[in-house]
Amino acid sequence: MAKLNPEIELNLCDISALAVASTKATLAANNLDGTVFASDVYSDTSDDYQFIISNPPFHAGLDTSYSATETLLEQAPRHLTATGELIIVANSFLKYPPIIECAFGQSNTLSKTNKFAIYHAKK
């Protein structure tokens, strides 16, 4: 996204220290700038994003856990601008559209294969 849109300001977060370090290394390796920080879903984020883009987790280690993703989807409208948008990529079998529709009033599937789907919603 940043290579195609160099004017955007990236804010990238994860609860995992390893993921935060990896993200910083990825930005550096690609000569890109961005703010990278640790956050448990929205615990340390802003509330005025134009876009929330994620490949949310559905497991913690070997355990299956949907709570972080459900929080991400349910609370997304509170962290977006008035014209903000949510875009996520997820395994196709996961039942995220109803959660997105409940939070946003609507959900669109931008693309879907037997393995993955890309979902989109606007405020």
Side-chain angles (χ1 to χ4, degrees), residues 66-87:
Y66 302 100
S67 64
T69 299
E70 289 172 355
T71 299
L72 175 85
L73 300 176
E74 291 167 353
Q75 294 182 16
R78 295 184 221 164
H79 296 274
L80 290 166
T81 64
T83 58
E85 301 178 41
L86 170 77
I87 301 169

Side-chain angles (χ1 to χ4, degrees), residues 47-50 77 79-85 104 122-123:
D47 62 357
D48 63 348
Y49 295 108
Q50 182 61 39
H79 296 274
L80 290 166
T81 64
T83 58
E85 301 178 41
F104 285 88
K122 289 183 180 182
K123 267 183 94 172

